[in-house]
Amino acid sequence: MSVMTGMKSITADQVKEQQAAAAKQADHDHHVPTAGAMSGHVLANLQVLIRKLTQFRVTLRGVASEIDRQLLDQLMQQAQDHFDDLVADLAAQGEDFPTTTAEFGEYTMLKEDPAFRFWTNDMKLDAVVNDIDTCQLFVSRAIPLANKENKAVLAADMLQLQRWHEQSILRLQTRLGRQVTAGRALLDEEDKEGGVR
């Protein structure tokens, strides 16, 4: 069996060889982190975040639901825009990146659960704050790697994501009526360990 790619066809065996080579390279990159590999984690986290925002926005309840839904709609669209931009830039630089649900599940650090739909609106918004903090962990690791590898476009993408994370957290925390650093599990862990964010 052959697969058509443009004007050329390749065999199923050639596809398997290319996939095996890509998997081997991805495994290597995750043990010796590269900007591309870290970007794969960023993409996976964004993809899961988008799914969770979708779940949360359609299960909001109560008086403030329409305002909260508008906020989650905006965050979802912005996350999708960042995802699309990062995919385009990774492809343009010849980087391999996750594209399947299984790969996103393997590379993400965000948790999904159907029970989340029963949470209160505030619980859902708090979860988004902490998910964005988790996303930021990988962005903050990708920036120095991209700079070290002279990948200015990836570094710029990550800086844009960092800005979006910070602004999104501020909006969510304002809606929740709390200080920007309040209720953030990763910040609390760093405070206990004496770390500085």
Side-chain angles (χ1 to χ4, degrees):
M1 179 179 132
S2 65
V3 178
M4 294 300 291
T5 58
M7 299 296 286
K8 255 171 110 174
S9 66
I10 59 175
T11 67
D13 287 340
Q14 289 171 316
V15 170
K16 286 180 185 175
E17 287 173 17
Q18 290 177 5
Q19 185 177 3
K24 184 177 178 182
Q25 185 64 47
D27 185 57
H28 174 267
D29 290 347
H30 289 333
H31 289 94
V32 181
T34 64
M38 204 56 63
S39 296
H41 288 289
V42 171
L43 279 179
N45 287 332
L46 279 170
Q47 185 60 228
V48 173
L49 179 63
I50 291 165
R51 284 199 308 254
K52 286 181 78 171
L53 289 168
T54 301
Q55 178 194 34
F56 288 169
R57 69 176 284 286
V58 299
T59 59
L60 292 168
R61 305 279 185 268
V63 179
S65 292
E66 191 51 40
I67 293 168
D68 290 345
R69 188 170 289 108
Q70 289 173 15
L71 174 57
L72 294 180
D73 279 340
Q74 291 169 2
L75 294 177
M76 191 171 61
Q77 184 57 57
Q78 291 164 352
Q80 185 66 57
D81 291 345
H82 284 291
F83 180 91
D84 294 343
D85 289 345
L86 185 53
V87 164
D89 290 339
L90 286 166
Q93 295 189 20
E95 293 283 352
D96 194 33
F97 50 88
T99 58
T100 67
T101 301
E103 290 172 314
F104 292 138
E106 181 180 347
Y107 295 132
T108 190
M109 292 296 291
L110 304 186
K111 304 293 181 223
E112 295 181 275
D113 191 325
F116 293 163
R117 68 180 178 263
F118 302 109
W119 286 5
T120 66
N121 294 5
D122 283 7
M123 290 168 70
K124 291 171 185 173
L125 297 180
D126 177 70
V128 176
V129 167
N130 283 288
D131 282 349
I132 292 173
D133 267 340
T134 300
C135 293
Q136 181 55 31
L137 281 176
F138 293 91
V139 168
S140 65
R141 292 175 185 157
I143 292 169
L145 289 169
N147 287 329
K148 179 181 173 186
E149 296 168 26
N150 294 317
K151 295 188 176 180
V153 173
L154 286 183
D157 286 340
M158 295 304 154
L159 288 170
Q160 287 294 326
L161 268 168
Q162 184 175 40
R163 180 178 295 116
W164 177 70
H165 289 155
E166 291 171 359
Q167 293 301 315
S168 297
I169 287 172
L170 177 61
R171 291 179 69 194
L172 289 159
Q173 294 285 64
T174 299
R175 155 53 187 88
L176 289 166
R178 57 192 198 192
Q179 296 294 319
V180 74
T181 57
R184 294 169 65 184
L186 290 176
L187 294 184
D188 291 343
E189 285 175 22
E190 287 178 358
D191 287 345
K192 287 177 189 169
E193 294 169 6
V196 178
R197 182 176 168 98

